Amino acid sequence: MPCYAIDGVIPVVDPTAFVHPSAVLIGDVRIGPACYVGPHASLRGDFGTIVLERGANVQDNCVMHGFPGRPTVVEENGHIGHGAILHSCVVRRDALVGMNAVVMDDAEIGAEAIVAAMSFVRAGMRVAPRTLVAGTPAKLLRTVTDDELAWKKEGTEAYHDLARRCLATHVETQPLTEVEPDRPALRAPGVLPLVATRKTS
């Protein structure tokens, strides 16, 4: 992975975390155990500290950055969807920030809360624990249901498994020219969109 020191400060990655080779880590970045950092994510600790606590995942094309003295933190089992941007904010334990959402300076996403995809969480906003916010700017919709919380936790566990799978089997290779007849199927139990879980419950 492209990994850069700045002012003598070197990123730290726990050996049980998986950081995709195309992700970029700069400066004061601290990635804890069992984390997953996806392709082309940018974690820039060149002004402020970037922290991923145990089991957090930051998916492809996400950006984490912040101001000096205002760390950008994703707590334990935090789940950051594709293309999201976090800037000098805190995402508490078991919270989810949806795809292409933006969370601004000094905002706090409470434990087990969900920020819907494409939402804009304004600077200084406090999202209460286990609530759902959506929109631009983000507004409170309701409490997160038991089914939604279970779905979120299953999705995060799938990323824990993905980190382990990547550490064990992820290798750069050349593409085949055609599909082989005995091609293995990928197995990702529990990886379902929320709409699918609603239809079965």
Side-chain angles (χ1 to χ4, degrees), residues 89-90 102-110 115 119-128 131-135 137-141:
C89 60
V90 177
V102 176
V103 183
M104 289 299 295
D105 308 312
D106 299 323
E108 181 177 319
I109 310 303
V115 176
S119 296
F120 179 83
V121 178
R122 68 186 183 279
M125 183 175 183
R126 296 292 183 264
V127 175
T131 57
L132 171 66
V133 298
K139 294 181 182 175
L140 174 65
L141 293 186

Side-chain angles (χ1 to χ4, degrees), residues 5-154:
I6 188 167
D7 297 335
V9 179
I10 301 170
V12 176
V13 179
D14 186 276
T16 63
F18 175 78
V19 179
H20 191 275
S22 66
V24 178
L25 310 181
I26 302 171
D28 194 5
V29 176
R30 307 169 190 186
I31 298 177
C35 290
Y36 173 89
V37 178
H40 303 289
S42 176
L43 281 65
R44 279 183 50 208
D46 48 11
F47 291 161
T49 302
I50 308 294
V51 178
L52 300 185
E53 294 185 359
R54 176 182 291 274
N57 70 77
V58 174
Q59 298 170 22
D60 18 334
N61 300 311
C62 288
V63 175
M64 293 181 69
H65 193 240
F67 290 117
R70 294 180 177 176
T72 307
V73 179
V74 180
E75 290 187 345
E76 185 171 356
N77 293 331
H79 192 105
I80 311 302
H82 317 292
I85 299 173
L86 307 180
H87 202 277
S88 283
C89 60
V90 177
V91 177
R92 297 289 182 199
R93 173 188 53 81
D94 281 313
L96 181 149
V97 175
M99 292 182 267
N100 287 312
V102 176
V103 183
M104 289 299 295
D105 308 312
D106 299 323
E108 181 177 319
I109 310 303
E112 299 182 334
I114 295 176
V115 176
M118 303 290 289
S119 296
F120 179 83
V121 178
R122 68 186 183 279
M125 183 175 183
R126 296 292 183 264
V127 175
R130 204 168 169 178
T131 57
L132 171 66
V133 298
T136 304
K139 294 181 182 175
L140 174 65
L141 293 186
R142 56 176 170 75
T143 299
V144 171
T145 68
D146 290 343
D147 285 347
E148 288 166 335
L149 188 57
W151 167 79
K152 184 272 168 200
K153 289 184 176 181
E154 286 176 3

